[in-house]
Amino acid sequence: MPAEPRPSTPLPDFCSLPVLFALLVVGALTVTLMRLAPGATGGWREYCAAVLFTSWLSILLTVALCKLRAPMQRLPGHWPYAAVWLLLVALTAVAAAVLEWIDRGLALGIGPSAPARFTLQAGLAAGLLGACLLRYFYVVAQWQARVAAEAQAQVAALQARIRPHFLFNSMNTVAALVGIDPRAAERTVENLAELFRAALGDDRDGTGTLGDEWRLVDRYLDIEALRLGGRLRVERRLEASEALPMPHLLLQPLVENAIRHGIQPRVDGGLLRIVARAVPGGTELCVDNPLPPSPAPAGTGHGLRNVRERVRYLYGDRARVHVETVGDRFAVTLFLPEAAHARADRR
């Protein structure tokens, strides 16, 4: 089923701790700046009362925004942000009035001397600070939307790209096998069909599992084994859960690059290693191949760059794509953090 389009003005997740922390910090900083401003009146008692008020107000606003986010998100255009702003101002004014009523009823003596003016000023301050915060959230949301669009465009470009030399070589292999080994020819056609389904499919969600990607790599290696014969030797170790969520065509481009740039240029071929293992904090994928006998012409780096950017977007900053040369071998290692697997699954 196609994924639902993302909202044009997505609201931040008000139920998250970072949003609550941001509101608490902004409230405390505002009170502190007002306390340090020239001509400020009131002692430490009033300052502590103001900090407690802003903290209570931040928690109240976070709970209200968390509960009302879904209906506000369904509003058209930029109205979701306007609704959040109006809610911030209204709740702040109501909270200020309630504070003054409690202080007067209990005779605590910590409330403002001019309640109406305090309520008005609190509403105005909430409006100004809320507008700044919402502007920040909006810019972040637009940036995330651009990153998502670029990632989807790169996935589409990768899915639309079938290297002509690989296709022609595979078809020539099929033609050569038809007369001498019909079963191998049939198996090659089936493998090609699966590769085309993954590369040219219209699955906008773009998410599968490690097992799916592993089987797709197996099909690709079966085709290359018929072409390269004994020159291609493969060592595969799957030591992680096959149910691990993983975007399509994340591992296969690395295997393709390893064969094209590491195995194919060598007269005697070489050993290709593919390892997937569970490590503390996540999962590690490693593809390594022997270096070619002579420096290969510099490529575009499109495949590796695409993998880097997709991993960074889907798994966050904790994910890593490490490229290194160890002795006579070239290795690419991906670390996918465990906490981000749910995010990749939602994509």
Side-chain angles (χ1 to χ4, degrees), residues 175-222:
L177 289 173
V178 167
I180 60 176
D181 193 345
R183 289 190 176 182
E186 181 181 359
R187 187 173 68 252
T188 302
V189 171
E190 292 175 352
N191 291 336
L192 272 175
E194 289 299 323
L195 286 170
F196 270 91
R197 183 175 291 109
L200 303 178
D202 58 355
D203 180 11
R204 292 182 60 188
D205 180 70
T207 302
T209 64
L210 175 59
D212 295 334
E213 188 73 2
W214 200 262
R215 285 184 285 273
L216 185 68
V217 168
D218 283 342
R219 290 182 178 274
Y220 173 76
L221 290 174
D222 284 344

Side-chain angles (χ1 to χ4, degrees), residues 58-119:
S58 299
I59 296 174
L60 176 65
L61 290 173
T62 303
V63 172
L65 291 173
C66 176
K67 297 299 183 182
L68 298 176
R69 180 181 184 272
M72 289 190 296
Q73 183 65 81
R74 290 193 288 269
L75 297 175
H78 291 82
W79 276 105
Y81 282 89
V84 171
W85 185 84
L86 291 173
L87 182 63
L88 288 174
V89 175
L91 277 181
T92 301
V94 170
V98 169
L99 175 67
E100 190 278 331
W101 176 75
I102 293 175
D103 177 70
R104 180 161 42 86
L106 299 179
L108 298 176
I110 60 174
S113 56
R117 181 181 179 185
F118 172 72
T119 302

